Amino acid sequence: MASKVIVALLLGLSVNAFAAERVTMEELAKAMELLIVDAKKQKNEIQSVKDGSEKNSAEVASEIENLKQQLSALKEKNERAEKSHAALQAKIEALSKGGAVDNRRFVIKPIKEAVASPDGALHKTTARLKVHSEPSMESPTISYLPQGAIVDVFEIHKSGMAKTGLGWVSKYYLSPLGKDKK
């Protein structure tokens, strides 16, 4: 582009010379300085655009690498979740096939075993219950029993709490099993 400007300037100077105007060497030197300054300016602009695109390319590459790492972490998390899901499915199947020890420290017994109990002290929970350390609703909760769990009741306290193998629960959410109904 600078060469086109030089050509145009030289043509303009030559036209002026033909028009009987004299062009001094100082005017020609000033014109050349302006052309050189303009050429440098254009060169710097081109270089800054080039540098900017290189910086943008580096930033994009960095962002892509960051996204790849995030994707890898999400894949690992998904694999762990799938393994956990499979383990939970296996526990559910084991529980549905007649009872098993659950990780929450209580035993779910099959109903047929509960009905066959000779002492009739087995009860079924009618709601999810907190298991307390003492026969009081204000005492610390040490565990939980799910709705439908079968528990042995050893004692009923005057506070309305029933003692089980795990601790104390509210007797109002227990239903007796294995007793003859009259």
Coordinates of all heavy atoms in Angstrom, one line a residue, residues 26-97:
E26 N 13.2 19.9 -0.3 CA 12.7 19.8 1.1 C 11.3 19.2 1.0 O 10.9 18.4 1.9 CB 12.7 21.2 1.7 CG 14.0 21.7 2.1 CD 13.9 23.1 2.7 OE1 12.8 23.5 3.2 OE2 15.0 23.7 2.8
E27 N 10.5 19.7 0.1 CA 9.1 19.2 0.0 C 9.1 17.7 -0.4 O 8.3 16.9 0.2 CB 8.3 19.9 -1.1 CG 8.0 21.4 -0.7 CD 7.3 22.1 -1.8 OE1 7.5 21.8 -3.0 OE2 6.6 23.1 -1.5
L28 N 10.0 17.3 -1.2 CA 10.1 15.9 -1.6 C 10.6 15.1 -0.4 O 10.1 14.0 -0.1 CB 11.1 15.7 -2.8 CG 11.2 14.3 -3.4 CD1 9.9 13.9 -3.9 CD2 12.2 14.4 -4.6
A29 N 11.5 15.6 0.4 CA 12.0 14.9 1.6 C 10.9 14.7 2.6 O 10.8 13.7 3.2 CB 13.2 15.6 2.2
K30 N 10.1 15.8 2.8 CA 9.0 15.7 3.7 C 8.0 14.7 3.3 O 7.4 13.9 4.1 CB 8.3 17.1 3.9 CG 9.1 18.1 4.7 CD 8.3 19.4 4.9 CE 9.1 20.4 5.7 NZ 8.4 21.6 5.9
A31 N 7.7 14.7 2.0 CA 6.8 13.7 1.5 C 7.3 12.3 1.7 O 6.5 11.4 2.1 CB 6.5 14.0 0.0
M32 N 8.6 12.1 1.5 CA 9.2 10.8 1.7 C 9.1 10.4 3.2 O 8.8 9.2 3.5 CB 10.6 10.7 1.2 CG 10.7 10.8 -0.3 SD 9.9 9.5 -1.1 CE 11.0 8.2 -0.9
E33 N 9.4 11.3 4.1 CA 9.3 11.1 5.5 C 7.9 10.6 5.9 O 7.7 9.7 6.7 CB 9.7 12.3 6.3 CG 11.2 12.5 6.4 CD 11.5 13.8 7.2 OE1 10.7 14.2 8.2 OE2 12.5 14.4 6.9
L34 N 6.9 11.4 5.4 CA 5.5 11.0 5.7 C 5.2 9.6 5.2 O 4.5 8.8 5.8 CB 4.5 12.0 5.0 CG 4.5 13.4 5.6 CD1 3.6 14.3 4.8 CD2 4.0 13.3 7.1
L35 N 5.7 9.2 4.0 CA 5.5 7.9 3.5 C 6.2 6.8 4.4 O 5.6 5.8 4.6 CB 6.1 7.8 2.1 CG 5.2 8.5 1.0 CD1 6.0 8.5 -0.4 CD2 3.9 7.9 0.9
I36 N 7.4 7.1 4.8 CA 8.1 6.2 5.7 C 7.4 6.0 7.0 O 7.2 4.9 7.5 CB 9.6 6.6 5.9 CG1 10.3 6.5 4.6 CG2 10.2 5.8 7.0 CD1 11.7 7.2 4.6
V37 N 6.9 7.1 7.6 CA 6.2 7.0 8.9 C 4.9 6.2 8.7 O 4.5 5.4 9.5 CB 5.8 8.5 9.4 CG1 4.8 8.4 10.6 CG2 7.1 9.1 9.8
D38 N 4.2 6.5 7.6 CA 3.0 5.7 7.3 C 3.2 4.3 7.1 O 2.5 3.4 7.6 CB 2.3 6.3 6.0 CG 0.9 5.7 5.7 OD1 0.1 5.6 6.7 OD2 0.7 5.3 4.6
A39 N 4.3 4.0 6.4 CA 4.7 2.5 6.2 C 5.0 1.9 7.5 O 4.6 0.7 7.7 CB 5.9 2.5 5.2
K40 N 5.8 2.5 8.4 CA 6.1 2.0 9.7 C 4.8 1.7 10.5 O 4.7 0.7 11.2 CB 7.0 2.9 10.4 CG 8.5 2.8 9.9 CD 9.4 3.7 10.7 CE 10.8 3.7 10.2 NZ 11.7 4.5 11.0
K41 N 3.9 2.7 10.4 CA 2.7 2.6 11.2 C 1.9 1.4 10.7 O 1.4 0.6 11.5 CB 1.9 3.9 11.0 CG 0.6 3.9 11.8 CD -0.1 5.2 11.6 CE -1.5 5.2 12.3 NZ -2.2 6.5 12.0
Q42 N 1.8 1.2 9.4 CA 1.1 0.1 8.9 C 1.7 -1.2 9.2 O 1.1 -2.2 9.5 CB 0.9 0.2 7.3 CG 0.0 1.3 6.9 CD -0.1 1.5 5.4 OE1 0.5 0.7 4.7 NE2 -0.8 2.5 4.9
K43 N 3.1 -1.2 9.2 CA 3.8 -2.4 9.6 C 3.5 -2.8 11.0 O 3.3 -4.0 11.4 CB 5.3 -2.2 9.4 CG 6.1 -3.4 9.7 CD 7.6 -3.1 9.5 CE 8.5 -4.3 9.9 NZ 9.9 -4.1 9.8
N44 N 3.5 -1.8 11.9 CA 3.2 -2.0 13.4 C 1.8 -2.6 13.6 O 1.6 -3.4 14.4 CB 3.5 -0.8 14.2 CG 5.0 -0.4 14.3 OD1 5.8 -1.3 14.1 ND2 5.2 0.8 14.6
E45 N 0.9 -2.0 12.8 CA -0.5 -2.5 12.9 C -0.6 -3.9 12.5 O -1.3 -4.7 13.1 CB -1.4 -1.6 12.1 CG -1.7 -0.2 12.7 CD -2.5 0.7 11.8 OE1 -2.9 0.2 10.7 OE2 -2.7 1.9 12.2
I46 N 0.0 -4.3 11.4 CA 0.0 -5.6 10.9 C 0.6 -6.6 12.0 O 0.1 -7.6 12.3 CB 0.7 -5.7 9.6 CG1 -0.1 -5.0 8.5 CG2 1.0 -7.2 9.2 CD1 0.6 -4.9 7.2
Q47 N 1.8 -6.1 12.6 CA 2.4 -7.0 13.6 C 1.6 -7.1 14.8 O 1.5 -8.2 15.4 CB 3.8 -6.3 13.9 CG 4.6 -7.2 14.9 CD 5.0 -8.5 14.2 OE1 5.3 -8.6 13.1 NE2 5.0 -9.6 15.0
S48 N 0.9 -6.1 15.2 CA 0.0 -6.2 16.4 C -1.2 -7.1 16.2 O -1.6 -7.8 17.0 CB -0.4 -4.8 16.9 OG -1.3 -4.2 16.0
V49 N -1.7 -7.1 15.0 CA -2.8 -8.0 14.6 C -2.3 -9.4 14.6 O -2.9 -10.3 15.2 CB -3.4 -7.6 13.2 CG1 -4.3 -8.7 12.7 CG2 -4.2 -6.3 13.3
K50 N -1.1 -9.6 14.1 CA -0.5 -10.9 14.0 C -0.2 -11.4 15.5 O -0.5 -12.6 15.8 CB 0.8 -10.9 13.2 CG 1.5 -12.2 13.0 CD 2.7 -12.1 12.2 CE 3.4 -13.4 12.0 NZ 4.7 -13.3 11.3
D51 N 0.4 -10.5 16.3 CA 0.6 -10.9 17.7 C -0.7 -11.2 18.4 O -0.7 -12.2 19.2 CB 1.4 -9.8 18.4 CG 2.8 -9.6 17.9 OD1 3.3 -10.5 17.2 OD2 3.4 -8.6 18.2
G52 N -1.7 -10.4 18.2 CA -3.0 -10.6 18.9 C -3.6 -12.0 18.5 O -4.1 -12.7 19.3
S53 N -3.4 -12.3 17.2 CA -4.0 -13.6 16.8 C -3.2 -14.8 17.4 O -3.7 -15.8 17.7 CB -4.0 -13.7 15.2 OG -2.7 -13.7 14.7
E54 N -1.9 -14.6 17.6 CA -1.1 -15.6 18.2 C -1.4 -15.7 19.7 O -1.6 -16.8 20.2 CB 0.4 -15.3 18.1 CG 1.0 -15.4 16.7 CD 2.4 -15.0 16.5 OE1 3.0 -14.5 17.5 OE2 2.9 -15.0 15.4
K55 N -1.7 -14.6 20.3 CA -2.1 -14.6 21.7 C -3.5 -15.3 21.8 O -3.7 -16.1 22.7 CB -2.2 -13.2 22.3 CG -0.8 -12.6 22.6 CD -1.0 -11.2 23.2 CE 0.4 -10.5 23.3 NZ 0.2 -9.1 23.8
N56 N -4.4 -14.9 20.9 CA -5.7 -15.6 20.9 C -5.6 -17.1 20.7 O -6.3 -17.8 21.3 CB -6.6 -14.9 19.9 CG -7.0 -13.5 20.3 OD1 -7.0 -13.2 21.5 ND2 -7.5 -12.7 19.3
S57 N -4.7 -17.5 19.8 CA -4.5 -18.9 19.6 C -4.0 -19.6 20.8 O -4.5 -20.7 21.2 CB -3.5 -19.1 18.4 OG -4.0 -18.6 17.2
A58 N -3.1 -19.0 21.5 CA -2.6 -19.5 22.8 C -3.6 -19.6 23.8 O -3.7 -20.6 24.5 CB -1.4 -18.7 23.3
E59 N -4.4 -18.6 23.9 CA -5.5 -18.6 24.9 C -6.6 -19.7 24.6 O -7.1 -20.4 25.4 CB -6.2 -17.2 24.9 CG -5.4 -16.1 25.6 CD -6.0 -14.7 25.4 OE1 -7.1 -14.6 24.9 OE2 -5.4 -13.8 25.9
V60 N -6.9 -19.8 23.3 CA -7.8 -20.8 22.9 C -7.3 -22.2 23.2 O -8.0 -23.1 23.7 CB -8.2 -20.7 21.4 CG1 -8.9 -21.9 20.8 CG2 -9.0 -19.4 21.1
A61 N -6.0 -22.4 22.9 CA -5.4 -23.7 23.2 C -5.4 -24.0 24.7 O -5.7 -25.2 25.1 CB -3.9 -23.7 22.7
S62 N -5.1 -23.0 25.5 CA -5.2 -23.2 26.9 C -6.6 -23.5 27.4 O -6.8 -24.4 28.2 CB -4.7 -21.9 27.6 OG -4.8 -22.0 29.0
E63 N -7.6 -22.8 26.9 CA -9.0 -23.1 27.2 C -9.4 -24.5 26.8 O -10.1 -25.2 27.6 CB -9.9 -22.0 26.6 CG -11.3 -22.1 27.0 CD -11.6 -21.8 28.5 OE1 -10.7 -21.1 29.1 OE2 -12.6 -22.3 29.0
I64 N -8.9 -24.9 25.7 CA -9.3 -26.3 25.2 C -8.6 -27.3 26.1 O -9.3 -28.3 26.5 CB -8.8 -26.5 23.7 CG1 -9.7 -25.7 22.8 CG2 -8.8 -28.0 23.4 CD1 -9.2 -25.7 21.3
E65 N -7.4 -27.1 26.5 CA -6.7 -28.0 27.5 C -7.5 -28.1 28.8 O -7.7 -29.1 29.4 CB -5.3 -27.6 27.7 CG -4.5 -28.6 28.5 CD -4.4 -30.0 27.9 OE1 -4.4 -30.1 26.6 OE2 -4.4 -31.0 28.6
N66 N -7.9 -26.9 29.3 CA -8.7 -26.8 30.5 C -10.0 -27.6 30.4 O -10.4 -28.4 31.3 CB -8.9 -25.4 30.9 CG -9.6 -25.2 32.2 OD1 -9.5 -26.1 33.1 ND2 -10.2 -24.1 32.4
L67 N -10.7 -27.4 29.3 CA -11.9 -28.2 29.1 C -11.7 -29.7 29.0 O -12.5 -30.5 29.5 CB -12.6 -27.6 27.8 CG -13.2 -26.2 28.0 CD1 -13.7 -25.7 26.6 CD2 -14.3 -26.1 29.0
K68 N -10.6 -30.1 28.4 CA -10.3 -31.5 28.3 C -10.1 -32.1 29.7 O -10.6 -33.2 30.0 CB -9.0 -31.7 27.5 CG -9.3 -31.6 26.0 CD -8.0 -31.9 25.2 CE -8.1 -31.7 23.7 NZ -6.9 -31.9 23.0
Q69 N -9.4 -31.3 30.6 CA -9.2 -31.8 31.9 C -10.5 -31.9 32.7 O -10.7 -32.9 33.4 CB -8.2 -30.9 32.7 CG -6.8 -31.0 32.1 CD -5.9 -29.9 32.8 OE1 -6.3 -29.0 33.5 NE2 -4.6 -30.0 32.5
Q70 N -11.4 -30.9 32.5 CA -12.7 -30.9 33.2 C -13.5 -32.1 32.7 O -14.2 -32.8 33.5 CB -13.4 -29.6 32.9 CG -12.9 -28.5 33.7 CD -13.6 -27.2 33.3 OE1 -14.6 -27.2 32.6 NE2 -13.2 -26.1 33.9
L71 N -13.5 -32.4 31.4 CA -14.2 -33.5 30.8 C -13.7 -34.8 31.4 O -14.4 -35.7 31.7 CB -14.1 -33.5 29.3 CG -14.8 -34.7 28.5 CD1 -16.3 -34.6 28.8 CD2 -14.5 -34.6 27.1
S72 N -12.4 -35.0 31.5 CA -11.7 -36.2 32.1 C -12.2 -36.4 33.5 O -12.5 -37.5 33.9 CB -10.2 -36.1 32.0 OG -9.6 -37.2 32.6
A73 N -12.2 -35.3 34.3 CA -12.7 -35.4 35.7 C -14.1 -35.8 35.8 O -14.5 -36.6 36.6 CB -12.4 -34.0 36.4
L74 N -15.0 -35.3 34.9 CA -16.4 -35.6 34.9 C -16.6 -37.1 34.5 O -17.4 -37.8 35.0 CB -17.2 -34.7 33.9 CG -17.4 -33.3 34.4 CD1 -18.0 -32.4 33.3 CD2 -18.2 -33.3 35.6
K75 N -15.8 -37.6 33.5 CA -15.8 -39.0 33.2 C -15.5 -39.9 34.3 O -16.2 -40.9 34.6 CB -14.9 -39.3 32.0 CG -15.4 -38.8 30.7 CD -14.5 -39.1 29.5 CE -15.0 -38.6 28.2 NZ -14.0 -38.9 27.1
E76 N -14.4 -39.5 35.1 CA -14.1 -40.3 36.2 C -15.2 -40.3 37.3 O -15.5 -41.3 37.9 CB -12.8 -39.8 36.8 CG -11.5 -40.0 36.0 CD -10.3 -39.4 36.6 OE1 -10.3 -39.0 37.8 OE2 -9.3 -39.2 35.8
K77 N -15.7 -39.2 37.5 CA -16.8 -39.0 38.5 C -18.0 -39.9 38.1 O -18.7 -40.5 38.9 CB -17.2 -37.5 38.6 CG -18.2 -37.3 39.8 CD -18.4 -35.8 39.9 CE -19.3 -35.4 41.0 NZ -19.6 -34.0 41.2
N78 N -18.3 -39.9 36.8 CA -19.4 -40.6 36.3 C -19.2 -42.1 36.4 O -20.1 -42.9 36.8 CB -19.7 -40.3 34.8 CG -20.9 -41.0 34.2 OD1 -21.9 -41.1 34.9 ND2 -20.8 -41.4 33.0
E79 N -17.9 -42.6 36.2 CA -17.6 -44.0 36.4 C -17.8 -44.4 37.8 O -18.3 -45.5 38.1 CB -16.2 -44.2 35.9 CG -16.0 -44.2 34.4 CD -14.5 -44.3 34.0 OE1 -13.6 -44.4 34.9 OE2 -14.3 -44.2 32.8
R80 N -17.3 -43.5 38.8 CA -17.5 -43.8 40.2 C -19.0 -43.9 40.6 O -19.4 -44.8 41.3 CB -16.8 -42.8 41.1 CG -15.3 -42.9 41.0 CD -14.6 -42.1 42.1 NE -15.0 -40.7 42.1 CZ -14.3 -39.7 41.4 NH1 -13.3 -40.0 40.8 NH2 -14.7 -38.5 41.5
A81 N -19.8 -43.0 40.0 CA -21.2 -43.0 40.3 C -21.9 -44.3 39.7 O -22.8 -44.9 40.4 CB -21.9 -41.8 39.7
E82 N -21.5 -44.7 38.6 CA -22.0 -45.9 38.0 C -21.7 -47.2 38.9 O -22.5 -48.0 39.1 CB -21.5 -46.1 36.6 CG -22.2 -45.2 35.6 CD -21.6 -45.3 34.2 OE1 -20.7 -46.1 33.9 OE2 -22.1 -44.6 33.3
K83 N -20.4 -47.2 39.4 CA -20.0 -48.3 40.2 C -20.8 -48.3 41.5 O -21.3 -49.3 42.0 CB -18.5 -48.2 40.6 CG -17.6 -48.6 39.4 CD -16.2 -48.4 39.8 CE -15.3 -48.7 38.6 NZ -13.9 -48.5 38.9
S84 N -21.0 -47.1 42.1 CA -21.8 -47.0 43.3 C -23.2 -47.4 43.1 O -23.9 -48.1 43.9 CB -21.7 -45.5 43.8 OG -22.6 -45.3 44.9
H85 N -23.8 -47.0 41.9 CA -25.2 -47.3 41.6 C -25.3 -48.9 41.5 O -26.3 -49.4 41.9 CB -25.5 -46.7 40.2 CG -26.9 -47.0 39.8 ND1 -28.0 -46.6 40.4 CD2 -27.3 -47.8 38.7 CE1 -29.1 -47.1 39.7 NE2 -28.7 -47.8 38.8
A86 N -24.3 -49.5 40.8 CA -24.3 -51.0 40.7 C -24.3 -51.6 42.1 O -25.0 -52.6 42.3 CB -23.2 -51.4 39.8
A87 N -23.5 -51.1 43.0 CA -23.4 -51.7 44.3 C -24.7 -51.5 45.1 O -25.2 -52.4 45.8 CB -22.3 -51.0 45.1
L88 N -25.3 -50.3 44.9 CA -26.6 -50.1 45.6 C -27.7 -51.1 45.0 O -28.5 -51.6 45.7 CB -27.1 -48.7 45.4 CG -26.3 -47.7 46.3 CD1 -26.7 -46.2 45.9 CD2 -26.5 -47.9 47.8
Q89 N -27.7 -51.3 43.7 CA -28.6 -52.2 43.1 C -28.5 -53.6 43.6 O -29.4 -54.3 43.9 CB -28.5 -52.2 41.6 CG -29.0 -51.0 40.8 CD -30.5 -51.0 41.0 OE1 -31.1 -50.1 41.6 NE2 -31.2 -51.9 40.4
A90 N -27.2 -54.0 43.8 CA -26.9 -55.3 44.4 C -27.5 -55.4 45.8 O -28.1 -56.5 46.2 CB -25.5 -55.6 44.4
K91 N -27.3 -54.4 46.6 CA -27.8 -54.4 48.0 C -29.4 -54.4 48.0 O -30.0 -55.2 48.8 CB -27.4 -53.1 48.7 CG -26.0 -53.2 49.2 CD -25.7 -51.9 50.0 CE -24.2 -51.9 50.5 NZ -23.9 -50.8 51.3
I92 N -30.0 -53.7 47.1 CA -31.5 -53.7 47.0 C -32.0 -55.1 46.7 O -32.9 -55.6 47.2 CB -32.0 -52.6 46.0 CG1 -31.7 -51.2 46.6 CG2 -33.4 -52.8 45.7 CD1 -32.0 -50.1 45.6
E93 N -31.3 -55.7 45.7 CA -31.7 -57.1 45.3 C -31.5 -58.1 46.5 O -32.4 -58.9 46.7 CB -30.9 -57.5 44.1 CG -31.3 -56.8 42.8 CD -30.4 -57.2 41.6 OE1 -29.7 -58.3 41.7 OE2 -30.4 -56.5 40.7
A94 N -30.4 -57.9 47.2 CA -30.2 -58.8 48.4 C -31.2 -58.6 49.4 O -31.8 -59.6 50.0 CB -28.8 -58.6 48.9
L95 N -31.6 -57.3 49.7 CA -32.6 -57.1 50.7 C -34.0 -57.6 50.3 O -34.8 -58.0 51.1 CB -32.7 -55.5 51.0 CG -31.5 -55.0 51.7 CD1 -31.6 -53.4 51.7 CD2 -31.5 -55.5 53.1
S96 N -34.3 -57.5 49.0 CA -35.6 -57.9 48.5 C -35.7 -59.4 48.5 O -36.8 -60.0 48.4 CB -35.9 -57.3 47.1 OG -35.0 -57.9 46.2
K97 N -34.6 -60.2 48.6 CA -34.7 -61.6 48.5 C -34.7 -62.2 49.9 O -34.3 -63.4 50.1 CB -33.4 -62.1 47.8 CG -33.5 -61.8 46.3 CD -32.3 -62.4 45.6 CE -32.3 -62.1 44.1 NZ -31.2 -62.5 43.4

